[in-house]
Amino acid sequence: MERFAAGEPEAVRDLYGRYGRAVFTVAMSALGNRHLAEEAVQLTFLQAWRAAARFDISRDPAPWLYAIARRASVDVFRRERRHGGGVPLDHDSDIAVLPESFEATWRAWEIRLALDAMPDKYREVVEATHYLGMSHEQTAARLGLPLGTVKSRAHRAHRDLAKRLSHLEEATA
Amino acid sequence: MKCDDARAAFLAGQVGRAESEHLETCAECRAEMPSLLETRRIMESATFWEEPPADLEDRIVGLVAGPGPKKEPAEKPPRWQLAVVGAAAVVALLLGVFLVQRTPSPDWEVALPGTAEAPLAVGVVSGWNEPGGTRMTLDIEGLPPAPNGFFYEFWLSAGDLHISAGTFTEAQGVELWVGVTRAEFPRLWITLEPIDEDESPSGVNVMDTA
């Protein structure tokens, strides 16, 4: 963050490497459209860049960047609503009627960061379970792993994920 | 059965008899089940797993590598921009505001008077039209720091459509960026907002061009 706050353009790559997917996740959650989400991600990093000199580098940049991402997504959403959806949409998606709630996009952001912090071998099992809706047997066949290994990884991955997200549980309890 | 294992099984949607018995009897785990369910709901959404395009990083780096906030101007400003600065300086003097000259010169400037909520506040908004949006700086006097639990929010509006350009608590050295143009959103105003999840403007309007 020191290089970013100092205005070095290449430092944007570091910040994007850490938070780019999470920012895209927030934008997709709010907008439900890849084209608009890409625009919101660009706006997010551009606005962060513009404000970098004022950022306190001793602080965690994640909440700051989330706030910018959420706001950029809402701005894009409002602009599209105003212009009646002039930007072409994906055929299998549409702009959400209303953006996801602050709580929901914040949770999506935190889940994405938690997954990005996990080893690939855990993340791919979580993705197979929830995104692809696969059973352990199907996951084992897809990944070419013994069934026992998949079961073990799935359990460890979800235990790890639950722990990483425990602060969200406290917040909603 | 440990709570961690039962919650992991619940999050995975793989609850067996042992986990089920634990979840039924453990009050702490039961209290966390709504949160775990919400996490599952999000992870079962296809949009959650969408990946950004591979070239997005390069596009962003290309955007920020353009004229940035810390870069010196490479060219002398054109004559018409100097004329805009001159006219704006007159406005600033009339308002009793010291206008900080920036280079390159702003593309537009507008006086921002205080409302009945902040009658002593006066200011000037300077704007630079840039690819993808507008950069603005605020030169404001007479606006006190936001009280605890509140912040100021700067808006651009067209009719009842409001775009936030950012927030601040003290009106010193404020620089803002918004992804729209002033031509589209001509009204500029500042509200005092409570810290909550409501993202629409509050009723406390402190400065306004309208």
Side-chain angles (χ1 to χ4, degrees):
Chain A
M1 280 307 291
E2 282 184 35
R3 290 173 55 227
F4 185 80
E8 294 181 28
E10 282 299 310
V12 176
R13 290 195 188 280
D14 295 338
L15 198 70
Y16 183 88
R18 286 174 62 191
Y19 299 107
R21 284 208 294 192
V23 170
F24 189 75
T25 296
V26 168
M28 279 298 297
S29 298
L31 296 162
N33 173 276
R34 286 189 62 85
H35 182 87
L36 298 179
E38 288 172 27
E39 187 181 350
V41 174
Q42 291 185 69
L43 274 175
T44 299
F45 281 93
L46 199 53
Q47 290 178 12
W49 170 251
R50 299 290 183 196
R54 297 199 308 275
F55 179 74
D56 178 358
I57 58 172
S58 66
R59 294 171 56 193
D60 178 8
W64 174 70
L65 200 58
Y66 166 79
I68 298 173
R70 167 77 181 166
R71 174 61 67 187
S73 299
V74 170
D75 285 351
V76 169
F77 172 83
R78 286 174 171 165
R79 187 202 64 202
E80 285 304 300
R81 187 177 59 179
R82 177 167 180 258
H83 292 302
V87 175
L89 304 176
D90 292 351
H91 20 281
D92 57 348
S93 66
D94 199 353
I95 302 175
V97 175
L98 285 173
E100 282 266 32
S101 71
F102 182 93
E103 200 275 334
T105 52
W106 172 248
R107 183 179 290 270
W109 163 270
E110 290 290 292
I111 297 169
R112 184 72 259 179
L113 288 182
L115 287 170
D116 287 348
M118 290 168 65
D120 288 345
K121 63 181 183 180
Y122 287 174
R123 188 167 53 243
E124 63 188 10
V125 171
V126 174
E127 183 172 356
T129 302
H130 296 280
Y131 177 40
L132 302 175
M134 288 182 167
S135 65
H136 287 160
E137 289 79 4
Q138 290 169 318
T139 303
R142 180 172 189 264
L143 299 177
L145 294 170
L147 178 59
T149 301
V150 168
K151 285 184 176 178
S152 171
R153 285 186 185 177
H155 183 71
R156 287 177 184 169
H158 285 91
R159 190 172 58 191
D160 185 24
L161 188 59
K163 280 185 179 176
R164 289 178 188 272
L165 299 173
S166 59
H167 61 288
L168 295 177
E169 293 161 14
E170 288 165 9
T172 55
Chain B
M1 172 62 58
K2 292 180 181 176
C3 290
D4 286 349
D5 293 326
R7 291 170 195 176
F10 186 77
L11 184 58
Q14 300 281 344
V15 178
R17 178 182 293 177
E19 290 90 0
S20 181
E21 287 175 0
H22 177 88
L23 293 170
E24 284 176 12
T25 55
C26 176
E28 288 184 12
C29 284
R30 277 210 313 279
E32 294 188 2
M33 285 169 68
S35 176
L36 293 169
L37 267 178
E38 178 63 6
T39 297
R40 261 169 52 181
R41 182 190 73 80
I42 289 171
M43 289 199 297
E44 285 164 5
S45 160
T47 56
F48 175 81
W49 296 96
E50 290 269 354
E51 291 282 341
D55 67 340
L56 187 55
E57 179 179 343
D58 287 338
R59 279 190 266 156
I60 290 167
V61 173
L63 277 174
V64 304
K70 296 175 180 58
K71 297 193 175 214
E72 293 301 321
E75 297 176 2
K76 189 176 176 182
R79 292 172 69 94
W80 69 269
Q81 286 189 349
L82 294 173
V84 170
V85 173
V90 172
V91 172
L93 285 172
L94 288 173
L95 288 167
V97 174
F98 176 68
L99 173 65
V100 178
Q101 291 274 3
R102 291 185 56 115
T103 54
S105 302
D107 295 308
W108 52 265
E109 297 194 74
V110 62
L112 187 66
T115 67
E117 299 283 354
L120 300 180
V122 291
V124 172
V125 185
S126 304
W128 287 259
N129 303 327
E130 298 189 2
T134 307
R135 178 165 64 89
M136 293 170 290
T137 59
L138 309 185
D139 292 300
I140 293 175
E141 288 187 353
L143 187 67
N148 287 338
F150 291 83
F151 58 88
Y152 292 115
E153 190 155 15
F154 189 92
W155 303 89
L156 286 81
S157 297
D160 61 356
L161 183 66
H162 312 300
I163 303 292
S164 171
T167 62
F168 56 95
T169 55
E170 289 193 35
Q172 300 296 323
V174 177
E175 183 165 335
L176 303 163
W177 171 267
V178 65
V180 298
T181 67
R182 185 168 169 249
E184 291 179 294
F185 293 83
R187 181 186 173 197
L188 312 179
W189 53 308
I190 296 172
T191 57
L192 182 64
E193 301 285 338
I195 296 176
D196 58 22
E197 293 185 3
D198 183 359
E199 293 173 342
S200 58
S202 73
V204 184
N205 179 4
V206 294
M207 302 184 80
D208 200 331
T209 58

